[in-house]
Amino acid sequence: MKGAVLALALAALPSLAAAQMGPLPPPPLEATPGILQEIGFDQKLGDTLPLDLAFKDESGNDVKLRDYFGDKPVVLSLVYYKCPMLCTISLNGLAGALEVLSFVPGQEFNVLTVSFDPHEGPVLAAAKKKAYMARYKRSDAEKGWHFLTGSREATEALTKAVGFRYAWDERSKQYAHPTGVVTLTPEGKIAHYLFGIEYAPKDLRLSLVEASQGRIGSAVDQVLLYCYHYDPQTGTYGAAVMRILRVSAALTLFALVGFVAVMLRRERRSSAAREDRLTDHG
């Protein structure tokens, strides 16, 4: 898992520098490993976020993390708003997955996009929110998707709590960082990590259903959760073969029992009809 994240960051660094500073040559290879050793996504499944951390929302209001928890699961994405490439791609991937879901931010769950750059403020957060609300176009979604900024102490405490490690690259004047989103329970416990820049709607939906502890989703979702298991190494849900076989066997058994019951009922009706005819003739 760490290797995949580091490889992604390694591939992204030269592109990030080019996007920001023009067609400069890539940094020397001997300089890259020092940065890559500092970045990554260390999973802390089951840990609880420090919900008293203070931030500013996109309107400049003072808020705390706990303001967004309590009765709904939460999707957390860590970015910085001036990022010229990777953060935007990751947010586009999140928005694309959200567009497919029937769940709506503010109704079944909340989304928190938090800048880990302490130099960024509500003006940048508001501009980013405006752009994604224009794309997402779900009614009242702005009440459930929040864009926050905070002090160095708050951002470092949050990133440390979820295992998000990043570093400032002096050559490109940008942050080197991993990408992914974290789903959390209504109580603020870390439930799942979904890695990469695109997120399968199925994985996002199942992670929210599981993080909600059954408070959202349908009976079909519960069956899917039984048939699919979360792989923390890849940050995805994969088919659990034995579980699928058990479900298939159970469905086959139910179908067979139902078929036998129907045939027995028909046989009884046929026997009763024959007896009635014999009685009439007699």
Side-chain angles (χ1 to χ4, degrees):
M1 183 271 298
K2 290 184 179 179
V5 172
L6 296 183
L8 175 61
L10 176 59
L13 280 173
S15 299
L16 292 176
Q20 180 77 8
M21 306 175 66
L24 295 177
L29 291 178
E30 63 270 16
T32 302
I35 295 176
L36 295 184
Q37 289 174 3
E38 298 180 45
I39 70 173
F41 229 144
D42 303 323
Q43 297 191 57
K44 299 190 176 184
L45 297 170
D47 286 5
T48 301
L49 296 191
L51 297 181
D52 285 325
L53 291 178
F55 290 88
K56 295 272 188 187
D57 69 10
E58 62 276 350
S59 299
N61 300 315
D62 292 322
V63 295
K64 290 187 176 181
L65 284 184
R66 69 172 60 257
D67 296 337
Y68 307 102
F69 291 84
D71 60 346
K72 300 180 181 69
V74 173
V75 176
L76 172 67
S77 65
L78 293 166
V79 300
Y80 72 104
Y81 300 131
K82 289 184 178 180
C83 181
M85 184 177 295
L86 204 54
C87 295
T88 299
I89 294 174
S90 178
L91 281 174
N92 287 344
L94 176 58
L98 293 177
E99 288 168 358
V100 177
L101 293 186
S102 59
F103 298 159
V104 179
Q107 296 181 16
E108 291 86 1
F109 68 105
N110 289 318
V111 181
L112 289 182
T113 296
V114 184
S115 170
F116 56 82
D117 185 347
H119 301 100
E120 297 185 334
V123 173
L124 284 172
K128 190 66 71 171
K129 178 167 184 173
K130 182 179 179 181
Y132 280 94
M133 291 303 98
R135 167 179 173 163
Y136 188 47
K137 297 179 182 178
R138 289 284 184 94
S139 177
D140 295 331
E142 68 276 1
K143 297 178 182 178
W145 192 344
H146 310 276
F147 290 72
L148 309 183
T149 54
S151 66
R152 182 177 300 278
E153 292 76 15
T155 55
E156 287 183 353
L158 177 58
T159 55
K160 182 178 180 180
V162 297
F164 182 90
R165 294 184 288 109
Y166 57 99
W168 177 254
D169 179 17
E170 190 61 35
R171 288 184 62 84
S172 65
K173 304 297 182 184
Q174 296 170 34
Y175 286 102
H177 60 88
T179 59
V181 297
V182 184
T183 56
L184 303 113
T185 70
E187 297 76 29
K189 288 187 177 182
I190 299 172
H192 303 93
Y193 291 79
L194 302 179
F195 299 116
I197 56 177
E198 292 185 349
Y199 313 102
K202 176 205 71 179
D203 290 345
L204 185 57
R205 181 183 180 93
L206 291 179
S207 70
L208 285 169
V209 171
E210 194 168 4
S212 75
Q213 299 161 354
R215 300 180 199 180
I216 64 174
S218 63
V220 173
D221 290 316
Q222 300 304 321
V223 172
L224 287 175
L225 276 177
Y226 182 79
C227 292
Y228 288 81
H229 74 281
Y230 173 71
D231 183 352
Q233 295 299 316
T234 62
T236 60
Y237 280 83
V241 177
M242 291 306 299
R243 289 182 177 180
I244 292 176
L245 289 176
R246 292 191 191 103
V247 171
S248 299
L251 292 175
T252 301
L253 178 60
F254 289 147
L256 181 59
V257 170
F259 174 76
V260 171
V262 170
M263 296 304 295
L264 288 175
R265 190 178 299 114
R266 287 180 179 176
E267 180 62 26
R268 292 193 193 100
R269 289 176 181 175
S270 298
S271 297
R274 285 195 298 270
E275 290 177 2
D276 289 341
R277 286 196 296 270
L278 290 173
T279 301
D280 292 341
H281 288 308

